[in-house]
Amino acid sequence: MNILIMGPAGAGKGTMSDLILKEYDIPHISTGDMLRENVRNNTELGKMAKTYMEAGKLVPDDVINAMVEDRLQQPDCQKGYLLDGFPRTLVQAEEFKKIAEKIGKPVESVIALEVDFDQLVDRITGRRICPKCGAIYHIRNHAPKTEGICDECGAELTQRKDDTVEQLKVRMDEYEKSTKPVIDFFEPLGVVSHINAGQAKDIVFAEVKAALEK
């Protein structure tokens, strides 16, 4: 099964991706995770990406396209893939369509998560990240057992520099301008499912699962 999951920052792409992976035997490919790993390791790609990410901007297409093309050729993608955070622009979508056709894995389902701006603000500003193991928490909805400390590895939790209302506005502007046209690009193929991701997690996943199984 070849899936794209899309939505603005804070829409729950990571949460839904984890639940999808429990149901289907395919790899979760997050360009965001790959970029952040490069930033942590201070690679050349990480240095280039860091400036854009901290400003809430999109990383250049050529960097992302090369990264994704290489990833999709790995053996664990034989049964399909779940792409999270890509493609984000119409240019990326057009290039990805070529890549998918080349490897014989065209997109079969696009899950478009949609959330009101006020809900996104609450989710984003309350999010905390473990810099060591990558676990994600929320100060109200999914707080760690000990305030500020990761349950999994004991590291001190941090807040991403772009998890602010100001940066969310920047990212939402970018999303409306660049990413929504991607959803429109796939609409004629009949593979797009619009999901209200402002609901409870279980309800959202039930709708996602129904969309995938149709």
Side-chain angles (χ1 to χ4, degrees):
M1 183 175 291
N2 308 324
I3 308 166
L4 304 184
I5 186 165
M6 309 187 73
K13 295 186 296 295
T15 299
M16 288 301 110
S17 294
D18 289 343
L19 293 172
I20 290 171
L21 296 182
K22 291 179 181 178
E23 292 284 333
Y24 307 97
D25 185 23
I26 55 176
H28 176 207
I29 303 173
S30 168
T31 54
D33 287 344
M34 286 190 284
L35 285 170
R36 283 188 285 275
E37 181 178 355
N38 277 274
V39 170
R40 285 196 299 271
N41 294 332
N42 202 36
T43 64
E44 288 304 313
L45 173 61
K47 292 175 183 177
M48 288 188 290
K50 187 175 182 179
T51 301
Y52 292 91
M53 293 169 67
E54 290 186 346
K57 300 290 186 178
L58 299 176
V59 178
D61 290 338
D62 56 346
V63 176
I64 301 296
N65 289 341
M67 183 187 303
V68 173
E69 181 172 6
D70 178 71
R71 182 66 183 88
L72 291 184
Q73 295 182 73
Q74 300 305 312
D76 63 342
C77 292
Q78 291 302 309
K79 295 181 180 180
Y81 52 81
L82 171 63
L83 261 175
D84 175 1
F86 181 89
R88 284 184 174 173
T89 68
L90 186 56
V91 172
Q92 288 180 352
E94 293 170 344
E95 182 63 24
F96 177 70
K97 188 172 183 293
K98 296 176 184 178
I99 293 172
E101 290 174 350
K102 182 170 65 174
I103 64 175
K105 296 186 181 299
V107 175
E108 296 174 319
S109 182
V110 177
I111 301 299
L113 301 178
E114 301 171 347
V115 187
D116 291 338
F117 182 76
D118 289 344
Q119 285 183 286
L120 291 178
V121 170
D122 179 70
R123 292 182 180 184
I124 288 292
T125 58
R127 184 164 59 185
R128 299 294 183 269
I129 310 291
C130 177
K132 185 175 181 181
C133 72
I136 301 175
Y137 300 87
H138 190 280
I139 58 176
R140 287 176 295 279
N141 303 328
H142 180 48
K145 296 176 181 177
T146 301
E147 183 177 353
I149 301 299
C150 179
D151 294 343
E152 303 297 327
C153 68
E156 184 175 352
L157 300 178
T158 61
Q159 183 176 23
R160 284 170 49 182
K161 292 182 179 180
D162 56 352
D163 278 354
T164 65
V165 176
E166 292 74 17
Q167 288 301 329
L168 177 60
K169 290 178 179 178
V170 172
R171 292 155 79 181
M172 283 299 294
D173 286 343
E174 290 283 357
Y175 181 79
E176 292 286 337
K177 181 177 67 176
S178 301
T179 306
K180 280 202 170 180
V182 173
I183 297 175
D184 294 338
F185 176 78
F186 287 105
E187 287 279 9
L189 301 180
V191 297
V192 178
S193 297
H194 297 271
I195 306 293
N196 176 7
Q199 307 172 90
K201 179 176 68 174
D202 292 345
I203 296 175
V204 175
F205 183 60
E207 294 187 6
V208 168
K209 189 175 179 181
L212 293 176
E213 294 181 351
K214 76 178 182 181

